Amino acid sequence: MRTDRIFARLEQEPTRPPDPAPGMSVTRKSLFAVTLAFYAAVVAAVVQTTYLVRLDWQLMLFRPYKQWPELHPFLDYFVVLGQRGPTAVLVAAWLGWRSWRQRTLRPLLMLGAALLLLNVTVGAAKLGMAREGPHYATTIGSNEMWLTGDIFPSGHTANAVVTWGILAYLASTEVARRRLSVVAAVFALGVGATTVYLGTHWVSDVLLGWAAGLLILLALPWCEPLAARVEEHALAYWRRLRAAGRLVVAGVVPAAGTAFPSAAAGRRAASAASHRSAGTPQGPPARHVRTAHAAHGGPPGRPHAVRPERAPVAPVGGRRPTAERSANRAAPLGPRG
């Protein structure tokens, strides 16, 4: 494995992707229409209790988890790749890093749009058709529809298609898109087959789950304009917040080379300024006012408070005796005539 290429890519400067977001091409629209028709055909086949329901029961009674019990421990862990919580966290972490590197919110916004569509569409279908799973089936050969279940379509399968497929959808190069498409297909097919092996889903559940996830991936270009507008508003709001933060910081941080006054000194200086502006007496003499600016030399261009002149006081032991002072005063100031 060429780790030098990986680290070289990590050290690149962050840039926005040059390619525009994919649009809804004719090929994509055709695939969407075919997948939608397949989705409707699976639902109709289950509702009418056709050959597809018979296949469901044959595999359920075959019980694959009893035929190959040695696969059970591995597949118990493998099926986690279709659970929404762990996979969404992993994919969101990767796409969040890409958003930071490329200075764009598009990867995270498209992931959010895909998960929202997944929850709404698959959740509504589950609750609307209310099909029972294999472990809770009541009548052999029935379609188990409109009861109390919520397994049609398979949520694990649809989630595996969407969460791993969106990595291929958001790939920045054609080579990466092809490779990630293969990885997503392997995970989606494997998770769907694993749920049938474990007996938690019918075959028809898995087929409908694949179709539901693929429909969401094919419909993502319709969400691109809305994601672009949301990104534009979010980045504009972020720029306003940063500008406001810079203004606040510029009003608080002192200039280079000056000392930052303490809180008490700042309050005293503000009080003195308010007294001067109101024309009221300024309180004690200037020689008793000591601020942090005066202690550190004061800001440039601002005069210091000048102390009034006062006669120096000599030490206590430095005074001359009284007799000596009297003798000096009695002595003549100059030679006598």
Side-chain angles (χ1 to χ4, degrees):
M1 183 176 180
R2 297 295 300 275
T3 57
D4 55 340
R5 294 183 179 178
I6 297 177
F7 287 111
R9 188 170 181 83
L10 292 177
E11 292 173 357
Q12 291 179 358
E13 290 296 325
T15 55
R16 291 178 63 90
D19 298 332
M24 204 67 181
S25 62
V26 176
T27 303
R28 186 179 288 269
K29 290 179 180 179
S30 302
L31 289 175
F32 183 86
V34 171
T35 307
L36 186 60
F38 178 78
Y39 186 101
V42 172
V43 173
V46 173
V47 170
Q48 296 174 9
T49 317
T50 60
Y51 65 93
L52 188 56
V53 176
R54 291 196 296 271
L55 177 62
D56 289 340
W57 277 100
Q58 288 173 359
L59 282 177
M60 182 268 185
L61 296 175
F62 181 68
R63 290 181 172 83
Y65 58 90
K66 288 188 176 181
Q67 302 297 326
W68 302 285
E70 64 276 4
L71 298 177
H72 206 292
F74 169 73
L75 294 180
D76 274 340
Y77 289 101
F78 181 78
V79 79
V80 177
L81 294 176
Q83 289 184 359
R84 194 161 309 166
T87 55
V89 170
L90 289 175
V91 173
W94 168 253
L95 295 181
W97 182 83
R98 278 193 57 190
S99 294
W100 176 77
R101 289 289 298 175
Q102 297 178 347
R103 297 298 190 268
T104 175
L105 296 177
R106 178 176 171 258
L108 288 178
L109 290 175
M110 295 312 299
L111 174 63
L115 293 179
L116 180 62
L117 289 175
L118 178 66
N119 291 332
V120 172
T121 57
V122 175
K126 282 175 174 287
L127 296 177
M129 290 182 279
R131 191 184 189 189
E132 291 288 357
H135 293 310
Y136 302 96
T138 58
T139 305
I140 295 178
S142 66
N143 57 15
E144 301 296 322
M145 294 285 285
W146 297 294
L147 296 175
T148 60
D150 59 349
I151 53 95
F152 187 62
S154 170
H156 275 70
T157 305
N159 182 73
V161 174
V162 171
T163 52
W164 300 113
I166 199 170
L167 295 179
Y169 175 81
L170 294 172
S172 56
T173 63
E174 199 63 37
V175 175
R177 185 174 295 110
R178 286 196 297 266
R179 292 177 179 176
L180 290 173
S181 297
V182 173
V183 172
V186 170
F187 284 168
L189 293 173
V191 168
T194 299
T195 59
V196 175
Y197 167 87
L198 296 174
T200 57
H201 280 288
W202 308 100
V203 174
S204 53
D205 298 342
V206 174
L207 294 177
L208 200 65
W210 283 332
L214 188 57
L215 283 174
I216 293 172
L217 288 180
L218 292 173
L220 282 180
W222 280 327
C223 302
E224 292 283 357
L226 178 60
R229 288 195 294 270
V230 171
E231 180 184 13
E232 181 181 356
H233 289 299
L235 292 179
Y237 181 70
W238 173 248
R239 285 192 292 267
R240 288 197 298 269
L241 286 179
R242 291 188 63 184
R246 284 195 295 266
L247 290 177
V248 171
V249 171
V252 172
V253 176
T258 61
F260 194 84
S262 63
R267 286 193 297 270
R268 289 195 297 268
S271 177
S274 62
H275 283 301
R276 285 195 299 270
S277 61
T280 57
Q282 298 183 10
R287 64 175 178 272
H288 296 295
V289 178
R290 298 179 59 84
T291 64
H293 287 299
H296 293 278
R302 191 172 183 179
H304 295 279
V306 181
R307 290 190 173 191
E309 294 296 333
R310 188 174 61 179
V313 178
V316 176
R319 294 191 177 188
R320 292 178 295 175
T322 307
E324 184 177 352
R325 291 199 303 271
S326 302
N328 289 339
R329 284 198 300 267
L333 297 176
R336 295 182 179 181

